Amino acid sequence: SVLATDVGELALDECAPGRTSVKDFDVRNRSEVPLTYVLHVPREHRDVLDFTLYDTGGRVLPDQPRQIPGHSHERIRLAYEPPPGAFGELSYRIRIENLYNRSNTEAVTVRCTVNSRAVEDALSLTVGDEPVSVLDFGDCYAMRRTSRLVCLRNLSSAPLEVS
């Protein structure tokens, strides 16, 4: 079995005490043989980093073996709630290890920016790779289309209504 992840780093921006931020990532089995893996999270970080299966919401427990069939993947949701008194740039490191081949290990760094208070909106608006607060279409002319590729992202675990 061959273990792989789709990311090497997860960046959680705009975190705040009392609010949970989420990011998703994939654990992939790139072989025909079933993969058994373990998610290693340092004990001191287990109270702020929580892992669930994206599809079912079932918990992914640290240090508990999980199995993925051949040529399949699991989408895992990381939920992060900053510890009380945390502020600034924080970094956590998790390891995902293939139990059949311990040299086949992936490391994922979780980088968090924790603000002293919650940001009013938990919605991120980006145009291309640039975060924006106002959507500007520039000069527009009659009978000519003007478009922008816009990405709206919910930065919290709570559902948001966009209208």
Side-chain angles (χ1 to χ4, degrees):
S1 56
V2 179
L3 173 126
T5 60
D6 64 340
V7 297
E9 179 177 290
L10 296 170
L12 296 164
D13 301 321
E14 313 256 344
C15 300
R19 193 176 90 195
T20 302
S21 298
V22 297
K23 279 283 186 173
D24 302 330
F25 65 96
D26 284 339
V27 176
R28 299 180 188 276
N29 181 1
R30 294 195 171 170
S31 75
E32 296 175 0
V33 179
L35 165 71
T36 301
Y37 75 94
V38 167
L39 181 71
H40 293 291
V41 179
R43 291 197 186 284
E44 63 270 16
H45 302 312
R46 291 183 184 180
D47 55 338
V48 295
L49 299 174
D50 188 46
F51 300 89
T52 56
L53 293 174
Y54 178 82
D55 295 331
T56 65
R59 298 248 352 214
V60 176
L61 299 172
D63 299 325
Q64 296 295 313
R66 298 197 52 80
Q67 192 166 46
I68 301 175
H71 295 293
S72 296
H73 75 279
E74 278 189 334
R75 188 137 187 88
I76 296 178
R77 172 161 283 180
L78 162 69
Y80 171 73
E81 185 171 339
F87 178 69
E89 298 286 329
L90 301 175
S91 182
Y92 304 93
R93 189 174 175 104
I94 59 174
R95 285 186 313 112
I96 304 162
E97 179 181 13
N98 181 342
L99 286 183
Y100 295 133
N101 179 0
R102 297 199 185 257
S103 66
N104 182 207
T105 300
E106 296 280 330
V108 177
T109 302
V110 180
R111 297 197 191 284
C112 309
T113 304
V114 181
N115 298 314
S116 59
R117 60 184 172 83
V119 176
E120 291 295 321
D121 296 323
L123 187 65
S124 166
L125 173 66
T126 57
V127 177
D129 289 334
E130 298 294 321
V132 296
S133 58
V134 176
L135 187 57
D136 182 9
F137 283 89
D139 294 331
C140 298
Y141 300 98
M143 306 304 289
R144 292 188 71 185
R145 288 187 180 188
T146 302
S147 64
R148 297 279 189 266
L149 181 60
V150 176
C151 178
L152 294 173
R153 179 170 291 158
N154 182 356
L155 299 174
S156 74
S157 60
L160 291 177
E161 184 175 322
V162 178
S163 55

